[in-house]
Amino acid sequence: MKLNTNSNSYIIIYSAILVVLVAFLLAFIFKALKPMQDANVALDVKKQILYSLNIRNLDGAEAEAKYAEVVKSEEEQDGQKTYACQIDGKDIYVVSLKGMGLWGGISGYLAIDPEGKVYGAYFNHEGETAGLGAEIKDSQAWQEKFIGKQIWDESGNVVLSVVKKVEDPATQVDCVTGATLTSNGVDAMLKDGLSLQNKK
């Protein structure tokens, strides 16, 4: 008996078999590639932590080796991770930060020296505008403005801030030009994350 390839039943059965085969193939590829994807995500996190320690321009193997050298321990409390590091014999702590920008989530790592000042900073975003809000990630020069800023006052209040007009150069960083809302998001992220850190 010859199959009627123009019949509705044939088209439905053929489509169903094709969908099942494609779904199976995609699931297999995803499972096969997942370990590689997880490794890439982990490496990216390590690189971001190194960026906050002012260590940049390393390839994958170099970043892995440097991370193992400088990061001594890691702990997590209330969803916030802290990394104990040692750079040139100096104890530095890197704090993970999470917040909201204009178009989505923002994140970052802030390195803190023994005097409670910023040793280095790195920020990232999920979907900020290129050339504007995305500068929190793309502009190393803007990230470097945080270096040396005081984080807390004598009472333990967070004084580090991102502002439109700098009045206290010891604690304030000027916002990204044309990206006030994203800069406000970074400021709120710093306040929230560093307040939590100071309560530990």
Side-chain angles (χ1 to χ4, degrees):
M1 181 179 176
K2 187 177 180 181
L3 286 174
N4 182 5
T5 57
N6 293 318
S7 69
N8 289 337
S9 58
Y10 176 85
I11 293 171
I12 292 171
I13 293 170
Y14 180 83
S15 298
I17 292 172
L18 189 61
V19 167
V20 170
L21 287 174
V22 170
F24 176 79
L25 183 61
L26 289 175
F28 175 80
I29 291 172
F30 174 79
K31 188 172 182 181
L33 294 179
K34 193 170 187 316
M36 187 183 301
Q37 292 171 340
D38 291 344
N40 286 337
V41 169
L43 177 59
D44 185 56
V45 168
K46 290 176 181 178
K47 283 186 174 182
Q48 290 184 43
I49 293 168
L50 292 174
Y51 294 160
S52 76
L53 293 165
N54 307 311
I55 302 170
R56 299 176 183 250
N57 303 318
L58 301 178
D59 65 24
E62 291 172 333
E64 290 279 9
K66 195 66 178 177
Y67 183 89
E69 175 189 334
V70 301
V71 178
K72 304 304 179 183
S73 66
E74 170 190 337
E75 66 176 51
E76 182 173 353
Q77 185 175 338
D78 299 323
Q80 184 181 54
K81 290 186 177 180
T82 305
Y83 304 83
C85 308
Q86 196 166 69
I87 305 288
D88 298 326
K90 183 185 291 186
D91 292 328
I92 306 292
Y93 289 88
V94 176
V95 180
S96 66
L97 304 166
K98 291 185 183 294
M100 283 298 296
L102 175 60
W103 301 115
I106 57 176
S107 61
Y109 292 94
L110 196 77
I112 305 169
D113 72 14
E115 297 177 355
K117 293 183 179 180
V118 178
Y119 182 84
Y122 179 78
F123 302 105
N124 204 344
H125 65 88
E126 292 178 8
E128 299 303 304
T129 307
L132 296 174
E135 289 297 287
I136 66 169
K137 173 187 177 184
D138 298 336
S139 176
Q140 182 179 341
W142 188 74
Q143 295 168 6
E144 289 176 347
K145 289 182 179 181
F146 287 83
I147 297 174
K149 304 295 183 185
Q150 193 69 39
I151 299 174
W152 299 282
D153 63 15
E154 293 180 357
S155 301
N157 301 308
V158 178
V159 291
L160 177 65
S161 58
V162 179
V163 297
K164 289 188 75 171
K165 183 179 179 181
V166 174
E167 295 178 350
D168 180 8
T171 63
Q172 297 175 337
V173 174
D174 56 337
C175 67
V176 175
T177 304
T180 302
L181 293 177
T182 302
S183 298
N184 290 344
V186 174
D187 183 66
M189 178 175 70
L190 291 168
K191 295 287 194 300
D192 293 343
L194 295 170
S195 294
L196 180 64
Q197 178 69 19
N198 206 31
K199 291 176 183 176
K200 292 181 180 179

